[in-house]
Amino acid sequence: MERTLAILKPDCVNKNLIGKVVDKIVDSGFKIVGIKMLRLSQESAKGFYVVHRDRPFYDDLVNFMTSGFCVPIALEKENAVADFRKLIGATDPVEAEEGTIRKLFASSKQENIVHGSDSAENALIEINHFFSRDELLG
Ligand code: ATP
Ligand code: MG
């Protein structure tokens, strides 16, 4: 079964939307295999987003992701990576499809509520960024 990593970002936590977003995820057929709430350090956030280090939004992104608490969630489902990205919608909520999590709840391209892994390979790397084996089901 495929896994993917979601992160409920600080805007999601601050808007008290954890429950609503988790409900949509579970209603869409994903099984939660790991979950926690934490505040990322600068070092950890920079490492997580290292692929974006040369992009103009990198510093802002790291500052945003370290500005408050996040909820990383390891998820399992057939076709988890693609199905989760469909559920969350486009990066920019203006471009996201109706009914997607970002369309419903996100306020901007940066403050877009939730992260989703972009490949099955990266999903495993990202899950390992947040969870040890004894923190994951199965
Ligand atoms: P994520 O990786 O969070 O699931 P994504 O894959 O849709 O989102 P990426 O291109 O990987 O988008 O960008 C990572 C994150 O960086 C985005 O979710 C968003 O928070 C932020 N971001 C991306 N592009 C911009 C931009 N042009 N301006 C501001 N923030 C941006
Ligand atoms: Mg991405």
Side-chain angles (χ1 to χ4, degrees):
M1 190 72 82
E2 192 165 271
R3 288 187 171 186
T4 192
L5 180 81
I7 307 173
L8 310 190
K9 299 183 179 186
D11 56 330
C12 180
V13 176
N14 289 336
K15 289 170 161 172
N16 213 15
L17 288 171
I18 295 172
K20 282 192 174 146
V21 174
V22 168
D23 248 2
K24 284 204 75 83
I25 293 170
V26 172
D27 285 350
S28 301
F30 293 86
K31 179 181 178 186
I32 294 174
V33 295
I35 186 164
K36 59 176 72 172
M37 185 157 86
L38 55 82
R39 186 164 183 176
L40 279 167
S41 66
Q42 285 271 329
E43 190 185 9
S44 181
K46 283 181 175 165
F48 186 81
Y49 283 115
V50 71
V51 293
H52 294 313
R53 69 180 172 276
D54 296 326
R55 309 281 286 277
F57 58 83
Y58 180 67
D59 287 348
D60 280 349
L61 176 60
V62 168
N63 285 334
F64 166 55
M65 290 299 290
T66 58
S67 68
F69 279 75
C70 288
V71 178
I73 310 175
L75 296 167
E76 202 168 74
K77 183 183 181 296
E78 261 171 50
N79 206 29
V81 170
D83 284 0
F84 191 72
R85 287 182 72 88
K86 193 158 196 280
L87 175 65
I88 66 180
T91 311
D92 187 338
V94 172
E95 290 162 17
E97 273 186 48
E98 291 299 327
T100 60
I101 290 173
R102 284 169 168 166
K103 185 66 165 192
L104 284 167
F105 302 121
S107 55
S108 71
K109 192 167 187 180
Q110 175 175 274
E111 301 202 2
N112 61 2
I113 298 287
V114 64
H115 163 85
S117 306
D118 61 10
S119 70
E121 188 189 1
N122 283 340
L124 297 184
I125 295 166
E126 292 180 358
I127 288 170
N128 288 334
H129 187 94
F130 289 102
F131 297 96
S132 59
R133 281 187 65 172
D134 64 356
E135 292 171 331
L136 293 166
L137 280 179

